Every structure is written in C-alpha cells, then in structure tokens.
Amino acid sequence: MRKRRRMRVNIMAKLVLSSLVLIALLHLCGGYKILVVFPLAGKSHHILGAGYVKHLLEAGHEVTYATPFPSNKTTDKYHEVDLSKNIEFYNKQTSKMLNLRAIINKETNIDVLAVIPDFVKMIKSMMESDKLVNFLSDPTQEFDAVIVEWLFTDVFAGIASLYNCPLIWSSSVEAHWIVLQLIHEPSNPSFNANVLSTTIPPFTFFERVANLLTMAAIKTIKYFYLQPRETAIYEEFFTPLFAKRGRQLPPYEEVVYNGTFMLTNSHSSLSQPISVPPNVKEIGGYHIDPNTKPLPANLQKIMDEAKHGVIYFSMGTNAKSKDWPESLKKDFLEVFGGLKQTVLWKFEEQLPNLPKNVHILEWAPQQSILAHPNMRLFITHGGLLSTTETVYFGVPTIVMPYGADQRVNALRAVNKGYAKMVELSYEMAGEMKVAIEEMLSNTKYSEKAKELSKLYHDRVVHPGKELVHWVEHVVRSHGALHLRSPALLLPWYQKMYLDLLALILVALYVIKVVLKLLFRKLSFKVPITEKKTN
Ligand SMILES: *[C@@H]1O[C@H](CO)[C@@H](O)[C@H](O)[C@H]1NC(C)=O
C-alpha cells in the first residue's frame, strides 16, 4: 500500500518535473508569431521590411514575411508569402513617376491627380494577389501581431483584424500627418512639412498657406475618392476571408483606426522633431547592420590606397544607368577625371575611356563603403535609406533629388549644413564640379556630418532592439491600449472646439434678439412718456 503510494508520488513528481521542463523549453524556443506585410514592390521598402524580419528572428520570434522579394530560404521559424506578382505593376507605375531621363528632359510634371486612379488599381491588384489570398484563406493560421507598412493606403489593416490581433503600422518615413491621423490626429500644417513637400519649416506665409491647402486637398481626395474605393476593395476581399473564420466583417473605419502602435523609419538627426503620442517611436537606422561587413578585397585595396580620399556616387536602386543621357555620362567622367580623389561610381554599365581614378561598380556594398575612413563625399539621389546611412557614418553629401521624398530629404540635409543640392539638367556637370570643389575644400560640411552622426548614435538603445521591445510590448499588453491616444475618441469639430464656437454664436444671436426686443419695448415706451411730459 505504502509502496504503491510512494510510486504514485514518484510518478507525480516526474510528471510535474517533466511538464516544468516542457514549459521552460516552450518559453525558451517559443517567442511570438508575427506577420510582417510589406506589399509594395520597391527595393527600399523591402530593405525596411527585411530589417523587421531580421531583428524579430534574432529575438527568437517566428516570423512570416509577405514580400514581393522572397528569398526562398525559409526555416521552421521563418516563412514567406510570395508577392512577387506586385513587381510588374509597381515597375509600370514608378517608371512613369521616378524616371531620371524624363526628369532631366523636364518632361514629367507628374500630375498627382492623374496618378490616383492608377494607384487604386495598384491597391486592388496587390490585394488580389492569389498567393496572399490563399495565405489569408487558411483559417488555422494565427498571429500575435501584424506589422504593416503604410504607403498611402489603409486597406491592409484588415489583415490584423482578420487574425484578431494587434496592428502595428510601419511608416517608411517620419510620422507625417497622414499616418499620424491613423493613431492620433493630423499634425499642425503650420510647422510640419508634409511627406512630399518641397519646403521645410519655418515656413513663409505663402508656404504655410500652401501647406494647409495641400492638407485640405489630400483630405478631400481621401474622403471623397480614395476611401469609398478602399472600402469597396476591403469589403470585396475580406468578407469571404472573415466568413471562413465564421465572423462578420467589421466596419472599415473601425479596422483602420484600430492600429495600436507605429514605428517610424526616422530620427530627428536627419528629419525634423515631431510631437507624437507615446505609441509612436522613431527607429530610423534599424536597417543598418551595426557590424559593418568587410569590403570585398579589391574594393578594400582601392579605398585603402586612395590617399586623397574617395568620392562615392550612387543614385539608388530606382535610377538605372540606361536612363542617363550619353552627354551627361561623358561630362561626369570629365569632371571626375580632373579630381585627385578616387571616384567609385555605382553604375550598371561599363563606360569607355574611363579615367584612372574612376571605378565603375555594378554592385556596391554601400554601408561598407561609407564606413571606410578614406570616405570624403557621397553624391546621392537623397533617398531616405541613403540619407540615413550618410548620417550614420557621418559623410557629407551632394544631393541630386529626382522624385518621391528625395527633395525634402535634400532640403533638410542642406538646411542641417552637411550637404549641397545640385539640380538635374543637361548642364549640371559644371555645377557639380563647383559643388565638389567647395565640399572638399571647406571642412564645415564634414564637421557637420560628424556632429549629426554623434547625435544619431547618442540613443538609449540600438533602434533594432527598440523595434523588438515595442513589438513584444504590444503583444504582452494585448494591444497597448494604455498608450492609445484619446484624440481618436473625438470627432474633429470637437477637437477644434467648433461646438463651443457654435454655442457662442447661438448665445450671441440670442442676446442680440433679446436686446432688440427689449429695445423695441423701451422705444415703444419712450414716445408715450414723452407725450406725457409734453
Ligand atoms: C482591434 O485591436 C485589438 C488589439 O489590438 C484586436 O484584438 C482586435 O481584434 C481589433 N479589432 C478590430 C476590429 O480590428
């Protein structure tokens, strides 16, 4: 009897022990299940998405990445949803909008209004992607959080609602007013540049008015044109998906304004300080590997031996060398050939009559190049990733913006004092030469770049760590409701006290009417009393 009891106790103890071990093991290799959705087929967007994936995987989470650029290197912790179908449409769109040749030829004054219908088509085609629909159709799939890149559409918010889990927005730039209104309220246009702005604060009177009008125009287009179409797309695609899970489709507005957190690819050292609620955090630079990879041997040698320093020239991933006019290629080579410095030119074609100090790189490990101590000057298009890397490594720049947010990045860089801007044109080579000479002879630009780099690095924690922390925080707190902005609870007219204004106007009107009545009564009485005295 006693023996049997002891045996039972023994078995119990073993059971408890093994389940403890199991729990501990689960805890160790558990992590959260996170879905990262970056549907836009731009290389720079993919770099940002891959940054999330890398940091979350390193922190031990299980990550699914919906991307147009799958690596096909999945593991039991890393899965992919292949959205490569989105590339075609994106390339068609951007070849219109981000066309170097057309900009140099001054052919593109992109008519934003004309682009919007195409944009709606693009959203629809991204949602229609069969691989995405298949993936979302699996009712057994669950996630702890969904991270969605916001780019001019809110439709993808529906994915988080489908999984009934917190939605984290990723903004590829700073928290400008359009994204900020999703989890707080639009920022004040009198001192905040809008995302495609060509001016920076402090604004002149006219710039300030223009900024307000732009805001009003975007709001109007969004409200009357985009939102009804987005709602239709949302209803069309998500109704059957929710039905598969036995659920009713929640209203679009409820889904879109349900985001719990926003991580922004920005930092005050390179953009402008913006006041945001506590559920918005800047993690600009998280895509940069703190352990810079070594340069390939030949490039290392070239850079080590450049005793007058190195100039690196790259126009980013969208600008193709075939779009450069022949005459400009020749002019650039002439300018570069006349310099003492070694020039690394990222270009997809080899050029004839290459001067000895100029090297063409079809592929360039940009971060490793910028990190080299002989690096003197970076000639760039001013994309945000390049700008961030510039500040990270403290390299002065000449910026030649040609589209998207590049101009505002360039203006900010010039304004902060580490850059010069050169406009794209057939005659630009001469101007570029002057700018290069000025930047190499005047140390103020590189000093400023170094100073900003110090500001950039002076943080509590690496932005990648911060990214992981906030994602985990959102999951642990079941959607970080304690950080939710109360501004979302109020309609706009209450925030602007228009109800008070209405009340005051009504009160004034009532007072006026009452006074009038009183006055009329008095004036009736007056003649009578007058008569009496007469
Ligand atoms: C709103 O967010 C919470 C948590 O962040 C989530 O659980 C819920 O499903 C979401 N609701 C909708 C309608 O998206």
Side-chain angles (χ1 to χ4, degrees):
M1 195 65 186
R2 197 180 275 172
K3 206 173 181 187
R4 202 180 280 170
R5 193 178 292 161
R6 199 181 292 154
M7 240 167 74
R8 211 179 285 157
V9 168
N10 238 336
I11 290 173
M12 285 296 281
K14 268 188 194 149
L15 263 179
V16 168
L17 195 74
S18 52
S19 44
L20 275 181
V21 170
L22 203 69
I23 287 171
L25 270 178
L26 271 182
H27 199 76
L28 273 181
C29 52
Y32 300 130
K33 279 191 78 176
I34 295 159
L35 173 63
V36 180
V37 185
F38 275 61
L40 209 77
K43 273 277 161 56
S44 45
H45 299 280
H46 166 56
I47 291 174
L48 291 173
Y52 277 90
V53 171
K54 175 174 165 275
H55 291 296
L56 292 168
L57 282 177
E58 278 172 8
H61 301 296
E62 184 177 341
V63 183
T64 303
Y65 183 30
T67 172
F69 304 99
S71 67
N72 299 319
K73 287 184 196 146
T74 54
T75 65
D76 54 342
K77 280 279 195 174
Y78 174 57
H79 321 282
E80 285 176 338
V81 183
D82 181 344
L83 304 181
S84 51
K85 189 176 153 272
N86 297 354
I87 294 177
E88 195 186 327
F89 210 107
Y90 177 85
N91 284 353
K92 218 170 81 198
Q93 283 305 304
T94 48
S95 64
K96 277 188 225 163
M97 290 180 66
L98 295 174
N99 187 331
L100 199 66
R101 179 191 299 268
I103 284 159
I104 297 173
N105 287 339
K106 302 208 165 39
E107 281 163 4
T108 50
N109 246 326
I110 313 159
D111 185 357
V112 176
L113 287 181
V115 174
I116 294 174
D118 284 345
F119 183 67
V120 174
K121 275 189 219 144
M122 184 159 94
I123 300 171
K124 194 156 191 276
S125 93
M126 290 195 295
M127 281 299 325
E128 258 168 359
S129 174
D130 46 350
K131 297 252 171 65
L132 181 66
V133 174
N134 275 349
F135 170 74
L136 296 177
S137 300
D138 176 2
T140 60
Q141 195 66 264
E142 299 284 346
F143 288 100
D144 294 311
V146 174
I147 301 169
V148 176
E149 181 189 40
W150 186 91
L151 247 146
F152 298 101
T153 176
D154 316 328
V155 161
F156 291 90
I159 297 178
S161 299
L162 184 70
Y163 295 118
N164 228 333
C165 71
L167 164 67
I168 300 171
W169 289 111
S170 163
S171 172
S172 319
V173 294
E174 81 258 16
H176 53 84
W177 72 266
I178 309 179
V179 287
L180 207 47
Q181 69 181 356
L182 287 172
I183 57 168
H184 182 50
E185 62 168 353
S187 41
N188 189 326
S190 72
F191 58 89
N192 286 291
N194 72 65
V195 61
L196 296 178
S197 168
T198 46
T199 51
I200 52 172
F203 297 129
T204 63
F205 172 75
F206 288 106
E207 287 168 352
R208 199 152 47 84
V209 173
N211 218 17
L212 178 68
L213 292 181
T214 309
M215 189 173 195
I218 293 178
K219 275 212 161 229
T220 310
I221 294 171
K222 176 94 186 162
Y223 189 79
F224 289 105
Y225 187 88
L226 263 183
Q227 192 149 316
R229 284 159 182 80
E230 284 179 307
T231 309
I233 295 174
Y234 165 76
E235 286 171 357
E236 183 184 341
F237 287 96
F238 282 101
T239 308
L241 298 175
F242 273 79
K244 279 214 171 83
R245 289 169 183 259
R247 283 165 56 204
Q248 283 258 314
L249 188 75
Y252 185 59
E253 296 239 325
E254 205 175 287
V255 165
V256 166
Y257 294 102
N258 195 38
T260 58
F261 214 90
M262 184 172 290
L263 294 166
T264 68
N265 176 37
S266 58
H267 188 254
S268 313
S269 60
L270 44 129
S271 61
Q272 70 167 80
I274 303 179
S275 43
V276 293
N279 55 355
V280 178
K281 296 289 175 211
E282 296 200 300
I283 53 163
Y286 70 92
H287 76 283
I288 302 175
D289 191 347
N291 310 308
T292 310
K293 290 198 183 63
L295 285 162
N298 62 334
L299 210 51
Q300 182 77 41
K301 186 157 174 281
I302 293 173
M303 292 195 78
D304 286 348
E305 284 171 1
K307 60 175 187 292
H308 294 289
V310 176
I311 297 174
Y312 169 55
F313 178 23
S314 165
M315 291 295 278
T317 45
N318 278 312
K320 298 281 177 278
S321 48
K322 64 174 168 42
D323 292 331
W324 283 105
E326 289 302 321
S327 68
L328 263 180
K329 294 181 196 169
K330 239 180 68 214
D331 290 354
F332 280 161
L333 282 188
E334 204 177 303
V335 171
F336 294 153
L339 297 168
K340 284 185 297 188
Q341 284 71 26
T342 297
V343 178
L344 302 177
W345 186 356
K346 188 196 157 264
F347 212 58
E348 299 99 55
E349 67 184 54
Q350 286 301 327
L351 296 173
N353 310 322
L354 209 60
K356 266 221 300 283
N357 64 330
V358 181
H359 303 265
I360 301 266
L361 310 174
E362 281 186 35
W363 170 83
Q366 179 157 305
Q367 295 177 15
S368 312
I369 292 174
L370 292 175
H372 195 283
N374 285 346
M375 189 65 216
R376 295 286 299 280
L377 177 63
F378 178 19
I379 304 175
T380 166
H381 65 309
L384 190 53
L385 298 187
S386 289
T387 306
T388 310
E389 290 165 22
T390 297
V391 171
Y392 184 102
F393 293 107
V395 179
T397 58
I398 292 176
V399 195
M400 309 193 290
Y402 68 90
D405 59 342
Q406 297 158 15
R407 185 160 295 269
V408 76
N409 297 337
L411 285 166
R412 284 171 174 168
V414 171
N415 190 257
K416 284 179 188 285
Y418 69 94
K420 272 190 158 310
M421 185 150 78
V422 174
E423 296 290 351
L424 288 166
S425 77
Y426 281 102
E427 302 79 37
M428 65 183 294
E431 210 185 316
M432 175 127 110
K433 182 162 184 257
V434 174
I436 293 176
E437 277 161 7
E438 155 77 1
M439 299 216 44
L440 290 176
S441 59
N442 194 334
T443 55
K444 74 174 186 196
Y445 299 99
S446 62
E447 277 160 18
K448 194 71 207 182
K450 297 251 147 46
E451 186 186 320
L452 289 172
S453 181
K454 275 198 192 125
L455 287 184
Y456 170 95
H457 288 283
D458 194 5
R459 304 196 194 187
V460 180
V461 59
H462 182 272
K465 290 249 159 51
E466 189 156 359
L467 178 165
V468 170
H469 170 80
W470 290 114
V471 172
E472 289 176 351
H473 181 79
V474 165
V475 179
R476 277 195 295 262
S477 63
H478 307 289
L481 290 178
H482 60 296
L483 297 179
R484 224 172 146 71
S485 167
L488 284 172
L489 301 172
L490 264 69
W492 58 275
Y493 67 87
Q494 287 184 14
K495 276 189 273 190
M496 296 173 93
Y497 282 97
L498 294 187
D499 47 352
L500 174 65
L501 185 67
L503 190 69
I504 292 173
L505 289 179
V506 169
L508 285 178
Y509 181 74
V510 169
I511 291 170
K512 186 181 153 202
V513 169
V514 168
L515 281 182
K516 220 175 191 173
L517 280 177
L518 276 179
F519 189 72
R520 214 175 278 162
K521 271 208 176 135
L522 281 178
S523 51
F524 269 127
K525 277 188 190 144
V526 173
I528 297 168
T529 49
E530 269 173 2
K531 259 181 208 161
K532 264 187 187 169
T533 48
N534 278 350

